Coordinates of all heavy atoms in Angstrom, one line a residue:
M1 N 133.5 148.3 284.5 CA 134.7 147.6 283.9 C 134.3 146.4 283.2 O 133.5 145.6 283.6 CB 135.6 147.3 285.1 CG 137.1 147.7 284.8 SD 138.2 147.3 286.2 CE 138.9 145.8 285.6
G2 N 134.8 146.2 282.0 CA 134.5 145.1 281.2 C 135.3 143.9 281.7 O 136.1 144.0 282.7
E3 N 135.1 142.8 281.1 CA 135.8 141.5 281.5 C 137.2 141.6 281.1 O 137.5 141.9 279.9 CB 135.1 140.3 280.8 CG 135.3 139.0 281.6 CD 134.5 137.9 281.0 OE1 133.3 138.0 280.9 OE2 135.1 136.9 280.6
A4 N 138.1 141.5 282.0 CA 139.5 141.6 281.7 C 140.0 140.4 280.9 O 139.5 139.3 281.1 CB 140.3 141.6 283.0
E5 N 140.8 140.6 279.9 CA 141.3 139.5 279.1 C 142.3 138.7 280.0 O 143.1 139.3 280.7 CB 142.0 140.0 277.9 CG 142.2 138.9 276.9 CD 142.7 139.4 275.5 OE1 142.3 140.4 275.1 OE2 143.6 138.7 275.0
L6 N 142.2 137.4 279.9 CA 143.0 136.5 280.7 C 144.5 136.6 280.2 O 144.7 136.6 279.0 CB 142.6 135.1 280.6 CG 141.2 134.8 281.3 CD1 140.7 133.5 280.8 CD2 141.3 134.9 282.8
P7 N 145.4 136.7 281.1 CA 146.8 136.7 280.6 C 147.2 135.3 280.1 O 146.5 134.3 280.4 CB 147.6 137.0 281.9 CG 146.7 136.5 283.0 CD 145.3 136.7 282.5
R8 N 148.1 135.3 279.2 CA 148.6 134.0 278.7 C 149.9 133.6 279.3 O 150.7 134.4 279.6 CB 148.7 134.1 277.1 CG 147.4 134.4 276.5 CD 147.5 133.9 275.0 NE 146.3 134.4 274.3 CZ 145.1 133.8 274.2 NH1 144.9 132.6 274.9 NH2 144.1 134.3 273.6
C9 N 150.0 132.3 279.5 CA 151.3 131.8 280.0 C 152.4 132.0 279.0 O 152.3 131.8 277.8 CB 151.1 130.3 280.3 SG 152.6 129.5 280.8
A10 N 153.5 132.5 279.5 CA 154.7 132.8 278.6 C 155.3 131.6 278.1 O 156.1 131.6 277.1 CB 155.7 133.7 279.4
V11 N 155.1 130.4 278.7 CA 155.7 129.2 278.3 C 154.8 128.3 277.4 O 155.2 128.0 276.3 CB 156.2 128.4 279.6 CG1 156.8 127.0 279.2 CG2 157.2 129.2 280.4
C12 N 153.6 128.0 277.9 CA 152.8 127.1 277.1 C 151.7 127.8 276.3 O 151.1 127.3 275.4 CB 152.1 126.1 278.0 SG 150.9 126.7 279.1
R13 N 151.6 129.1 276.5 CA 150.8 130.1 275.7 C 149.3 129.8 275.8 O 148.5 130.3 275.0 CB 151.3 130.0 274.2 CG 152.7 130.5 274.2 CD 153.3 130.1 272.9 NE 153.6 128.7 272.8 CZ 154.3 128.1 271.9 NH1 154.8 128.8 270.9 NH2 154.5 126.8 271.9
T14 N 148.8 129.1 276.8 CA 147.4 129.0 277.0 C 147.0 130.0 278.0 O 147.8 130.6 278.7 CB 147.0 127.6 277.5 OG1 147.7 127.4 278.8 CG2 147.4 126.5 276.6
S15 N 145.7 130.3 278.0 CA 145.2 131.3 278.9 C 145.3 130.8 280.4 O 145.1 129.6 280.6 CB 143.7 131.6 278.7 OG 143.6 132.2 277.4
I16 N 145.7 131.7 281.2 CA 145.7 131.4 282.6 C 144.4 131.7 283.3 O 143.9 132.8 283.1 CB 146.9 132.2 283.3 CG1 148.2 131.6 282.8 CG2 146.8 132.1 284.8 CD1 149.4 132.5 283.1
T17 N 143.8 130.7 283.9 CA 142.5 130.9 284.5 C 142.6 131.0 286.0 O 143.6 130.7 286.6 CB 141.5 129.7 284.1 OG1 142.2 128.5 284.4 CG2 141.3 129.7 282.6
V18 N 141.5 131.5 286.5 CA 141.5 131.8 288.0 C 141.7 130.5 288.7 O 141.2 129.4 288.4 CB 140.1 132.4 288.4 CG1 140.0 132.6 289.9 CG2 139.9 133.7 287.7
G19 N 142.6 130.5 289.7 CA 142.8 129.4 290.5 C 144.1 128.6 290.1 O 144.5 127.7 290.9
E20 N 144.6 128.9 288.9 CA 145.8 128.2 288.5 C 147.1 128.8 289.2 O 147.1 130.0 289.4 CB 146.0 128.2 287.0 CG 145.1 127.3 286.3 CD 145.3 127.3 284.8 OE1 145.2 128.4 284.2 OE2 145.6 126.3 284.3
A21 N 148.0 128.0 289.6 CA 149.2 128.5 290.2 C 150.1 129.1 289.2 O 150.4 128.4 288.2 CB 149.9 127.4 291.0
V22 N 150.5 130.3 289.4 CA 151.4 131.0 288.4 C 152.6 131.6 289.1 O 152.6 131.9 290.3 CB 150.6 132.1 287.7 CG1 149.5 131.5 286.8 CG2 150.1 133.2 288.6
V23 N 153.5 131.9 288.3 CA 154.8 132.6 288.7 C 154.9 133.9 287.9 O 154.7 133.9 286.7 CB 156.0 131.7 288.4 CG1 157.3 132.5 288.8 CG2 155.9 130.4 289.0
F24 N 155.1 135.0 288.6 CA 155.3 136.3 288.0 C 156.8 136.5 287.6 O 157.6 136.3 288.5 CB 154.8 137.4 288.9 CG 153.3 137.5 289.0 CD1 152.7 136.7 290.0 CD2 152.5 138.1 288.1 CE1 151.3 136.7 290.1 CE2 151.1 138.1 288.2 CZ 150.5 137.4 289.2
R25 N 157.0 136.7 286.4 CA 158.4 136.8 285.9 C 159.0 138.2 286.0 O 158.2 139.2 286.1 CB 158.5 136.3 284.5 CG 157.8 134.9 284.3 CD 158.1 134.2 283.1 NE 158.4 135.0 281.9 CZ 159.0 134.4 280.8 NH1 159.2 133.1 280.8 NH2 159.2 135.1 279.8
Q26 N 160.3 138.3 285.9 CA 161.0 139.6 285.9 C 160.5 140.5 284.8 O 160.4 141.7 284.9 CB 162.5 139.4 285.8 CG 163.1 138.6 287.0 CD 163.5 139.5 288.1 OE1 164.0 140.6 287.8 NE2 163.3 139.1 289.3
D27 N 160.2 139.9 283.6 CA 159.8 140.7 282.5 C 158.3 141.1 282.5 O 157.8 141.7 281.5 CB 160.1 139.9 281.2 CG 159.4 138.6 281.1 OD1 158.5 138.3 281.9 OD2 159.7 137.8 280.1
G28 N 157.6 140.8 283.6 CA 156.3 141.3 283.7 C 155.2 140.3 283.2 O 154.0 140.5 283.3
R29 N 155.7 139.2 282.6 CA 154.8 138.2 282.1 C 154.5 137.2 283.2 O 155.2 137.2 284.2 CB 155.3 137.5 280.8 CG 155.6 138.6 279.7 CD 156.2 137.9 278.5 NE 155.2 137.1 277.8 CZ 155.5 136.3 276.8 NH1 156.8 136.1 276.4 NH2 154.6 135.6 276.2
V30 N 153.5 136.3 282.9 CA 153.3 135.3 283.9 C 153.4 133.9 283.2 O 153.3 133.8 282.0 CB 151.8 135.4 284.5 CG1 151.7 136.5 285.5 CG2 150.8 135.6 283.4
Q31 N 153.7 132.9 284.0 CA 153.7 131.6 283.5 C 153.2 130.6 284.6 O 153.2 131.0 285.8 CB 155.1 131.1 283.1 CG 156.1 131.1 284.3 CD 157.5 130.6 283.8 OE1 158.2 131.3 283.1 NE2 157.9 129.4 284.3
H32 N 152.7 129.5 284.2 CA 152.2 128.5 285.2 C 153.4 128.0 286.0 O 154.5 127.9 285.5 CB 151.7 127.3 284.4 CG 150.4 127.5 283.7 ND1 150.3 127.5 282.3 CD2 149.2 127.9 284.1 CE1 149.1 127.8 281.9 NE2 148.4 128.0 283.0
T33 N 153.1 127.7 287.2 CA 154.1 127.0 288.1 C 154.5 125.7 287.4 O 155.6 125.3 287.4 CB 153.5 126.8 289.5 OG1 153.1 128.0 290.0 CG2 154.5 126.2 290.4
S34 N 153.5 124.9 287.0 CA 153.8 123.8 286.1 C 152.7 123.8 285.0 O 151.5 123.7 285.3 CB 153.8 122.5 287.0 OG 152.5 122.0 287.2
C35 N 153.2 123.8 283.8 CA 152.3 124.0 282.7 C 151.6 122.7 282.4 O 152.2 121.6 282.4 CB 153.1 124.4 281.4 SG 153.7 126.1 281.6
P36 N 150.3 122.8 282.0 CA 149.6 121.6 281.6 C 150.1 121.2 280.2 O 150.6 122.1 279.4 CB 148.1 122.0 281.5 CG 148.2 123.5 281.4 CD 149.5 124.0 282.0
K37 N 150.0 120.0 279.8 CA 150.4 119.6 278.5 C 149.4 120.1 277.5 O 148.2 120.1 277.7 CB 150.4 118.0 278.4 CG 151.3 117.4 277.4 CD 150.9 116.0 277.2 CE 152.0 115.1 277.6 NZ 151.7 113.7 277.2
V38 N 149.9 120.7 276.4 CA 149.0 121.3 275.4 C 149.0 120.3 274.2 O 150.0 119.9 273.7 CB 149.5 122.6 274.9 CG1 148.6 123.2 273.8 CG2 149.6 123.6 276.0
V39 N 147.8 119.9 273.8 CA 147.6 118.9 272.7 C 146.9 119.6 271.5 O 145.9 120.2 271.7 CB 146.9 117.7 273.2 CG1 146.6 116.7 272.1 CG2 147.6 117.0 274.3
C40 N 147.5 119.4 270.4 CA 146.9 119.9 269.1 C 145.6 119.1 268.9 O 145.7 117.8 268.8 CB 147.9 119.8 268.0 SG 147.2 120.1 266.4
P41 N 144.4 119.7 268.8 CA 143.2 118.9 268.6 C 143.1 118.3 267.2 O 142.3 117.4 267.0 CB 142.1 120.0 268.8 CG 142.7 121.3 268.5 CD 144.2 121.1 268.9
L42 N 143.9 118.7 266.3 CA 143.8 118.2 264.9 C 144.6 116.9 264.7 O 144.2 116.0 264.0 CB 144.3 119.2 263.9 CG 143.4 120.5 263.9 CD1 143.9 121.4 262.8 CD2 141.9 120.2 263.7
C43 N 145.8 116.8 265.4 CA 146.6 115.6 265.2 C 146.8 114.8 266.5 O 147.4 113.8 266.5 CB 147.9 116.0 264.6 SG 149.0 116.9 265.7
S44 N 146.3 115.4 267.6 CA 146.3 114.8 268.9 C 147.8 114.6 269.4 O 148.0 113.8 270.3 CB 145.6 113.4 268.9 OG 144.3 113.6 268.6
R45 N 148.7 115.3 268.9 CA 150.0 115.3 269.4 C 150.3 116.5 270.2 O 149.7 117.5 270.1 CB 151.0 115.2 268.2 CG 151.1 113.8 267.7 CD 152.2 113.7 266.6 NE 151.8 114.6 265.5 CZ 152.5 114.6 264.4 NH1 153.5 113.8 264.1 NH2 152.2 115.5 263.4
E46 N 151.3 116.4 271.0 CA 151.7 117.5 271.9 C 152.2 118.7 271.2 O 153.0 118.6 270.2 CB 152.7 117.0 272.9 CG 152.8 117.8 274.2 CD 153.7 117.3 275.2 OE1 154.1 116.1 275.1 OE2 154.2 118.0 276.1
V47 N 151.8 119.9 271.6 CA 152.3 121.2 271.1 C 153.4 121.6 272.1 O 153.1 121.9 273.3 CB 151.3 122.3 271.0 CG1 151.9 123.6 270.5 CG2 150.1 121.8 270.0
L48 N 154.6 121.6 271.7 CA 155.7 121.8 272.7 C 156.0 123.3 272.9 O 155.9 124.1 272.0 CB 157.0 121.2 272.1 CG 156.9 119.6 272.0 CD1 158.1 119.1 271.2 CD2 156.8 118.9 273.3
P49 N 156.3 123.7 274.1 CA 156.6 125.1 274.4 C 157.8 125.5 273.5 O 158.7 124.7 273.3 CB 157.0 125.1 275.9 CG 156.4 123.8 276.5 CD 156.4 122.8 275.3
G50 N 157.7 126.7 273.0 CA 158.8 127.3 272.2 C 158.7 126.9 270.8 O 159.6 127.4 270.0
T51 N 157.7 126.2 270.4 CA 157.6 125.9 268.9 C 156.5 126.8 268.4 O 155.7 127.3 269.1 CB 157.2 124.4 268.7 OG1 156.0 124.2 269.4 CG2 158.2 123.5 269.3
P52 N 156.5 127.0 267.0 CA 155.5 127.9 266.4 C 154.1 127.3 266.6 O 153.9 126.1 266.7 CB 155.9 127.8 264.9 CG 157.2 127.3 264.9 CD 157.4 126.4 266.0
I53 N 153.1 128.2 266.8 CA 151.7 127.8 266.9 C 150.8 128.6 266.1 O 151.2 129.7 265.6 CB 151.3 127.9 268.4 CG1 151.6 129.3 268.9 CG2 151.9 126.8 269.3 CD1 150.7 129.8 270.1
R54 N 149.6 128.1 265.8 CA 148.5 128.8 265.3 C 147.4 128.8 266.3 O 147.2 127.7 266.9 CB 148.0 128.2 264.0 CG 148.9 128.4 262.8 CD 149.3 129.8 262.5 NE 148.2 130.6 262.0 CZ 148.2 131.3 260.9 NH1 149.2 131.2 260.0 NH2 147.2 132.1 260.5
R55 N 146.7 129.9 266.5 CA 145.6 129.9 267.5 C 144.3 129.7 266.8 O 144.0 130.3 265.7 CB 145.6 131.3 268.1 CG 145.9 131.2 269.5 CD 146.0 132.6 270.1 NE 147.2 132.7 271.0 CZ 147.4 132.0 272.0 NH1 146.5 131.1 272.4 NH2 148.5 132.1 272.7
D56 N 143.4 128.9 267.4 CA 142.1 128.8 266.9 C 141.2 128.9 268.1 O 140.9 128.0 268.9 CB 141.9 127.4 266.3 CG 140.5 127.1 265.8 OD1 139.9 128.1 265.3 OD2 140.0 126.0 265.8
G57 N 140.8 130.2 268.4 CA 140.1 130.5 269.7 C 141.1 130.2 270.8 O 142.2 130.8 270.8
E58 N 140.7 129.4 271.7 CA 141.5 129.0 272.8 C 142.4 127.8 272.5 O 143.3 127.5 273.3 CB 140.7 128.7 274.1 CG 140.3 130.0 274.8 CD 141.4 130.9 275.2 OE1 142.4 130.5 275.8 OE2 141.4 132.1 274.7
A59 N 142.2 127.2 271.4 CA 143.0 126.0 271.0 C 144.3 126.4 270.4 O 144.4 127.4 269.7 CB 142.2 125.1 270.1
L60 N 145.4 125.7 270.7 CA 146.6 125.9 270.0 C 146.9 124.7 269.0 O 146.8 123.6 269.4 CB 147.8 125.9 271.0 CG 147.6 126.9 272.2 CD1 148.9 126.9 273.0 CD2 147.4 128.3 271.6
L61 N 147.2 125.1 267.8 CA 147.4 124.1 266.8 C 148.8 124.2 266.2 O 149.4 125.3 266.3 CB 146.4 124.3 265.6 CG 144.9 124.6 265.9 CD1 144.2 124.9 264.6 CD2 144.3 123.5 266.7
H62 N 149.3 123.1 265.6 CA 150.5 123.2 264.9 C 150.2 124.0 263.6 O 149.2 123.8 263.0 CB 151.0 121.8 264.5 CG 151.3 120.9 265.7 ND1 150.6 119.8 265.9 CD2 152.3 121.0 266.6 CE1 151.1 119.2 267.0 NE2 152.1 119.9 267.4
P63 N 151.2 124.8 263.2 CA 150.9 125.6 261.9 C 150.6 124.7 260.7 O 149.8 125.0 259.9 CB 152.2 126.3 261.7 CG 152.8 126.5 263.1 CD 152.4 125.2 263.8
A64 N 151.3 123.5 260.7 CA 151.0 122.6 259.5 C 149.6 122.0 259.6 O 149.0 121.9 258.6 CB 152.1 121.5 259.6
C65 N 149.2 121.7 260.8 CA 147.8 121.2 261.0 C 146.8 122.2 260.6 O 145.8 122.0 260.0 CB 147.6 120.7 262.4 SG 148.7 119.3 262.9
W66 N 147.1 123.5 261.1 CA 146.1 124.6 260.8 C 146.0 124.8 259.3 O 144.9 125.0 258.8 CB 146.7 125.8 261.5 CG 145.8 127.0 261.4 CD1 144.7 127.3 262.2 CD2 145.8 128.0 260.3 NE1 144.1 128.5 261.7 CE2 144.8 128.9 260.6 CE3 146.6 128.2 259.2 CZ2 144.5 130.0 259.8 CZ3 146.4 129.3 258.4 CH2 145.3 130.2 258.7
S67 N 147.1 124.9 258.6 CA 147.0 125.2 257.2 C 146.4 124.0 256.4 O 145.7 124.2 255.4 CB 148.4 125.6 256.6 OG 149.3 124.5 256.7
R68 N 146.6 122.8 256.9 CA 146.0 121.7 256.2 C 144.5 121.7 256.4 O 143.8 121.5 255.4 CB 146.5 120.4 256.9 CG 146.3 119.1 256.0 CD 146.9 117.9 256.7 NE 148.3 118.0 257.0 CZ 148.8 117.8 258.2 NH1 148.1 117.3 259.2 NH2 150.1 117.9 258.5
R69 N 144.0 122.1 257.6 CA 142.6 122.2 257.8 C 142.0 123.4 257.0 O 141.0 123.3 256.4 CB 142.3 122.4 259.3 CG 140.8 122.3 259.6 CD 140.5 122.6 261.0 NE 140.9 124.0 261.3 CZ 140.5 124.6 262.4 NH1 139.8 124.0 263.3 NH2 140.8 125.9 262.6
Y70 N 142.8 124.5 257.0 CA 142.3 125.7 256.2 C 142.2 125.4 254.8 O 141.2 125.7 254.1 CB 143.3 126.8 256.5 CG 143.0 128.1 255.7 CD1 142.0 128.9 256.2 CD2 143.7 128.4 254.6 CE1 141.7 130.1 255.5 CE2 143.3 129.6 253.9 CZ 142.3 130.4 254.4 OH 142.0 131.5 253.7
R71 N 143.2 124.7 254.2 CA 143.1 124.4 252.8 C 141.9 123.4 252.5 O 141.2 123.6 251.5 CB 144.4 123.7 252.3 CG 145.5 124.7 252.1 CD 146.6 124.1 251.2 NE 147.2 122.9 251.8 CZ 148.2 122.9 252.6 NH1 148.8 124.0 252.9 NH2 148.7 121.8 253.2
S72 N 141.7 122.5 253.4 CA 140.6 121.5 253.1 C 139.2 122.2 253.2 O 138.3 121.9 252.6 CB 140.7 120.3 253.9 OG 140.5 120.6 255.3
A73 N 139.2 123.2 254.2 CA 137.9 124.0 254.3 C 137.6 124.8 253.1 O 136.5 124.9 252.7 CB 138.0 124.9 255.6
V74 N 138.7 125.4 252.5 CA 138.5 126.2 251.3 C 138.1 125.4 250.2 O 137.2 125.7 249.4 CB 139.9 126.9 251.0 CG1 139.8 127.5 249.6 CG2 140.2 128.0 252.0
R75 N 138.7 124.2 250.1 CA 138.3 123.3 249.0 C 136.9 122.8 249.2 O 136.1 122.7 248.2 CB 139.3 122.1 249.0 CG 139.5 121.5 247.6 CD 140.5 120.4 247.7 NE 141.9 120.8 248.1 CZ 142.6 120.2 249.1 NH1 142.1 119.2 249.7 NH2 143.7 120.7 249.4
G76 N 136.5 122.5 250.4 CA 135.2 122.0 250.7 C 134.1 123.0 250.4 O 133.0 122.6 250.0
S77 N 134.3 124.3 250.6 CA 133.3 125.3 250.4 C 133.2 125.8 248.9 O 132.3 126.4 248.5 CB 133.6 126.5 251.3 OG 134.8 127.2 250.9
A78 N 134.2 125.4 248.1 CA 134.2 125.8 246.7 C 133.2 125.1 245.9 O 132.9 123.9 246.2 CB 135.6 125.6 246.1
Ligands
ZN1 ZN1 151.8 127.4 281.0
ZN2 ZN1 148.8 119.1 265.1

């Protein structure tokens, strides 16, 4: 058996790791008993549950921060 993919919290959308306290929901998803604060690494501000996100590996970014970084990366490599 391969390594199972970690489930994601339905509220804060980060991966749930072994040992974290979770709640199993009626809809079959899982969420943390109490979610850790998620901080966007690009602007250092909080990523609020229920708001749009962009994923960068395990990091959650604001869509605006993500596209700003993407645009500057494209410009830098040109
Ligand atoms: Zn959570
Ligand atoms: Zn941000």
Side-chain angles (χ1 to χ4, degrees):
M1 225 177 102
E3 206 176 302
E5 197 175 315
L6 294 166
R8 296 203 191 272
C9 173
V11 177
C12 70
R13 298 162 289 186
T14 59
S15 294
I16 290 166
T17 53
V18 178
E20 286 184 298
V22 295
V23 178
F24 291 89
R25 311 194 330 167
Q26 296 272 322
D27 61 8
R29 302 178 71 190
V30 285
Q31 67 178 67
H32 293 113
T33 305
S34 81
C35 289
K37 205 195 242 188
V38 180
V39 174
C40 170
L42 298 181
C43 68
S44 303
R45 281 183 302 187
E46 199 175 343
V47 179
L48 298 169
T51 59
I53 51 159
R54 288 303 293 235
R55 246 178 227 296
D56 180 33
E58 279 306 303
L60 303 186
L61 315 176
H62 298 115
C65 297
W66 183 88
S67 62
R68 198 178 304 130
R69 191 186 61 168
Y70 178 77
R71 280 199 302 270
S72 63
V74 168
R75 213 178 295 131
S77 66

